[in-house]
Amino acid sequence: MGSGGGQWIVEKRSSFRSEPLEVNVSETGCLSIVVLGASGDLAKKKTFPALFNLYRQGFLQSNEVHIFGYARTKISDDDLRNRIRSFWCVFLVACCSIMLMTEWFYQIKYVSGSYDTEEGFRMLDKEISLHEEFRNSTEGSSRRLFYLALPPSVYPVVCRMIKLCCMNKSHLGGWTRIVVEKPFGKDLDSAEKLSNQIGELFEEPQLYRIDHYLGKELVQNLLVLRFANRFFLPLWNRDNIDNVQIVFREDFGTEGRGGYFDEYGIIRDIIQNHLLQVLCLVAMEKPVSLKPEHIRDEKVKVLQSVMPIKDEEVVLGQYNGYRDDPTVPDHSNTPTFATVVLRIHNERWEGVPFILKAGKALNSRKAEIRIQFKDVPGDIFRCKNQGRNEFVIRLQPSEAMYMKLTVKQPGLEMSTVQSELDLSYGQRYQQVTIPEAYERLILDTIRGDQQHFVRRDELRAAWEIFTPLLHRIDDGEFKPLPYQPGSRGPAEADELLERAGYVQTHGYIWIPPTL
């Protein structure tokens, strides 16, 4: 389809948006997106849906982009398209025309091959080159994005094959970029080894270590909240904030992923990456600018200021029934729950506990940041027992930000009650569809914006914090406590929160507003 056809598609697609369409018009050659591990669950559930949504909104143009799936499974182009379609056809039918769906599926080409031999990658390079020739791209001006929806164990060999067989020449404005998924290593040594193996093949600007939490709407809002609002600036420090909680809770267990999960555990799976990334954005100093390297510099400084974790500030748990999974060893020591207190040794945060808490099979599902302020000095209303002021940023579900504060109870009596100032996204932004994290991050990769990706020194600093604790867990020196599914986790975790200074609010529950 020529450029005229591409313009027609953009005009048709604009009806799906309630705001002006931002079209990604490229000044360079055509774009080839390669999903390695295309037949796997991650590609089916996250990568391909994200690519379709970018296409549907006009960020990917039919006259410049082609999508390639690569995996060992011997299937045809149509087989891959049908696998994707069968998983999310209900969503497609609900939001799109049949014509648009057909157009997008037509952009997908499948290549079968192994991950450790040249033959398949030579064939992949041939197919990409044919697409570039068809688009009349000048050699060296085209863009190639490789998304590794694969286990980290095959990253080195796949990257070697890409380097050997599939690179685009970059001297005419083109590029080759690699997206790698977590977990990136299991401890400091394995992460450094993996970084060295891939770093020998690609420069840091070519590597995009993806952490989908950095693509979430409310996480991306943190810098704006902190540095664009005057009333937060003087409050965001140890003089006013008593403690910070960053929480991830799931109300289900491993559910078929027991074998995979047992290899990593809740700290590696959630805390060392997702929650630690959020901590960096909450605690960092104002960067010099919004340039990606300036922001990532400040995140690294936070991690380098974290003190060694103390045993008495860690509670581990494992829910009863976890070992019933036939893929989990009978004597597994892997925690499915952890509460860890981190302390940042710098001028802003000295003495403020950062409580990272994550668990499976708990009594609710949510992810949030809870910033609790100190008590009001000289409280003339005697309302201390009702709870403290808190600023809560709810990341999922029901995205929201709300301030818990004390107000007068309506009526003739001068009595106080806990209430909130509430910005609930579902109510305030009814006509806006919040993009999935993967959509945003893939688009950032195409644009060359590394702000929301993990830099190598940042990865190293994160592993330095948790590796000593993880080794003790792996060696059986640190035992998880049992807890009942559907509970808050081990009671010892609440005791740790109390020792750290967190004051629980009783009798108040935040209820998301209804439309």
Side-chain angles (χ1 to χ4, degrees):
M1 184 179 294
S3 58
Q7 180 63 36
W8 178 82
I9 292 171
V10 171
E11 291 171 354
K12 296 295 285 186
R13 282 183 234 162
S14 64
S15 62
F16 296 106
R17 295 171 58 90
S18 59
E19 56 195 58
L21 180 65
E22 177 186 352
V23 179
N24 183 29
V25 179
S26 171
E27 296 179 356
T28 57
C30 65
L31 172 64
S32 298
I33 300 176
V34 182
V35 181
L36 296 112
S39 59
D41 273 358
L42 175 63
K44 179 175 65 175
K45 295 177 180 178
K46 296 295 184 182
T47 316
F48 283 117
L51 291 172
F52 172 75
N53 279 327
L54 291 174
Y55 183 82
R56 178 173 64 92
Q57 297 173 82
F59 292 107
L60 299 178
Q61 299 288 298
S62 63
N63 62 341
E64 68 170 4
V65 70
H66 207 70
I67 299 167
F68 298 86
Y70 185 92
R72 290 176 296 201
T73 310
K74 295 187 181 299
I75 56 176
S76 67
D77 297 350
D78 285 338
D79 289 335
L80 177 62
R81 294 164 186 163
N82 289 333
R83 287 189 180 196
I84 301 168
R85 185 184 288 110
S86 64
F87 178 71
W88 42 295
C89 62
V90 175
F91 161 76
L92 289 175
V93 171
C95 72
C96 317
S97 69
I98 298 298
M99 182 176 65
L100 181 61
M101 293 163 50
T102 303
E103 287 172 357
W104 185 75
F105 279 116
Y106 184 71
Q107 308 297 324
I108 300 175
K109 172 74 179 176
Y110 182 74
V111 178
S112 173
S114 68
Y115 295 126
D116 56 358
T117 60
E118 293 184 28
E119 182 181 1
F121 284 89
R122 296 289 183 195
M123 179 62 68
L124 176 62
D125 181 68
K126 180 179 179 182
E127 293 292 343
I128 296 173
S129 298
L130 287 173
H131 162 62
E132 291 170 348
E133 291 174 9
F134 180 72
R135 299 299 184 196
N136 297 317
S137 287
T138 304
E139 185 179 19
S141 69
S142 298
R143 300 163 292 162
R144 297 185 177 188
L145 172 60
F146 293 87
Y147 193 111
L148 275 58
L150 296 165
S153 58
V154 299
Y155 286 173
V157 66
V158 168
C159 286
R160 281 199 299 272
M161 291 298 107
I162 294 172
K163 182 72 173 181
L164 183 64
C165 306
C166 300
M167 293 292 290
N168 180 55
K169 297 176 183 177
S170 61
H171 63 283
L172 293 178
W175 45 253
T176 302
R177 292 173 184 156
I178 312 295
V179 178
V180 293
E181 280 275 354
K182 78 168 188 74
F184 203 84
K186 293 186 66 176
D187 57 13
L188 178 59
D189 289 343
S190 60
E192 280 292 283
K193 180 180 178 181
L194 194 53
S195 291
N196 288 334
Q197 290 172 324
I198 298 178
E200 292 173 354
L201 302 168
F202 298 103
E203 300 294 328
E204 186 66 24
Q206 295 176 289
L207 294 172
Y208 289 72
R209 300 175 190 87
I210 195 169
D211 185 329
H212 76 272
Y213 253 59
L214 290 176
K216 289 185 176 294
E217 181 67 34
L218 272 295
V219 174
Q220 296 216 332
N221 211 338
L222 279 170
L223 291 187
V224 179
L225 283 170
R226 288 197 53 199
F227 302 123
N229 293 290
R230 184 68 179 87
F231 53 79
F232 279 132
L233 292 175
L235 297 178
W236 213 264
N237 53 50
R238 62 189 175 91
D239 295 329
N240 300 286
I241 293 175
D242 186 89
N243 60 80
V244 177
Q245 279 194 71
I246 304 172
V247 179
F248 175 93
R249 303 165 65 92
E250 288 182 332
D251 55 3
F252 53 88
T254 53
E255 296 189 349
R257 295 177 65 245
Y260 165 82
F261 181 86
D262 198 73
E263 187 178 351
Y264 293 96
I266 198 70
I267 294 177
R268 290 184 175 98
D269 196 42
I270 301 296
I271 294 179
Q272 184 273 338
N273 40 71
H274 297 334
L275 302 195
L276 199 59
Q277 286 293 318
V278 175
L279 178 146
C280 288
L281 295 172
V282 171
M284 63 184 274
E285 297 297 320
K286 183 187 290 186
V288 174
S289 75
L290 290 177
K291 291 181 179 179
E293 294 314 305
H294 290 158
I295 293 172
R296 300 203 292 182
D297 286 344
E298 297 302 330
K299 290 169 65 182
V300 172
K301 290 177 185 177
V302 171
L303 295 176
Q304 292 174 337
S305 300
V306 174
M307 302 291 287
I309 298 170
K310 298 178 180 179
D311 285 3
E312 61 269 24
E313 294 193 316
V314 178
V315 172
L316 305 178
Q318 185 186 92
Y319 68 84
N320 294 328
Y322 169 70
R323 299 180 194 173
D324 295 342
D325 186 325
T327 64
V328 174
D330 292 339
H331 302 289
S332 171
N333 196 54
T334 300
T336 61
F337 173 97
T339 297
V340 181
V341 177
L342 298 186
R343 297 187 180 271
I344 300 172
H345 183 57
N346 65 18
E347 183 178 3
R348 181 181 295 271
W349 297 114
E350 186 73 37
V352 178
F354 282 75
I355 304 161
L356 307 188
K357 180 178 178 180
K360 290 182 172 293
L362 299 176
N363 60 348
S364 64
R365 172 182 172 264
K366 66 179 178 180
E368 68 181 18
I369 307 161
R370 185 173 294 269
I371 296 157
Q372 187 171 87
F373 292 88
K374 294 185 175 182
D375 292 323
V376 175
D379 178 17
I380 61 174
F381 293 101
R382 305 290 192 268
C383 54
K384 180 178 179 180
N385 61 340
Q386 291 180 346
R388 289 171 164 171
N389 294 148
E390 292 181 354
F391 179 40
V392 182
I393 303 171
R394 190 177 177 99
L395 307 179
Q396 67 179 35
S398 305
E399 293 92 342
M401 293 179 283
Y402 61 95
M403 289 285 300
K404 283 174 56 178
L405 68 168
T406 302
V407 299
K408 177 185 173 297
Q409 174 78 47
L412 297 176
E413 299 294 329
M414 180 54 75
S415 58
T416 60
V417 67
Q418 285 270 303
S419 189
E420 71 279 325
L421 298 175
D422 193 330
L423 168 57
S424 290
Y425 275 51
Q427 185 180 54
R428 178 66 178 83
Y429 302 112
Q430 296 180 33
Q431 305 302 319
V432 178
T433 300
I434 297 176
E436 289 291 328
Y438 281 91
E439 295 173 39
R440 193 189 312 271
L441 295 176
I442 290 174
L443 187 59
D444 283 348
T445 306
I446 295 169
R447 291 169 167 172
D449 185 348
Q450 291 187 301
Q451 174 181 332
H452 302 116
F453 295 84
V454 181
R455 202 168 64 188
R456 179 173 177 173
D457 56 343
E458 183 181 347
L459 180 71
R460 178 184 177 86
W463 279 119
E464 285 176 340
I465 294 169
F466 283 100
T467 291
L469 173 61
L470 289 168
H471 282 177
R472 294 185 60 203
I473 297 171
D474 294 342
D475 294 340
E477 298 176 16
F478 214 124
K479 300 290 186 180
L481 302 168
Y483 65 94
Q484 287 297 324
S487 69
R488 286 176 52 85
E492 289 83 350
D494 286 334
E495 295 168 6
L496 173 58
L497 262 64
E498 187 175 351
R499 292 199 307 273
Y502 174 69
V503 176
Q504 189 171 354
T505 302
H506 296 283
Y508 166 88
I509 299 175
W510 175 74
I511 301 174
T514 55
L515 301 179

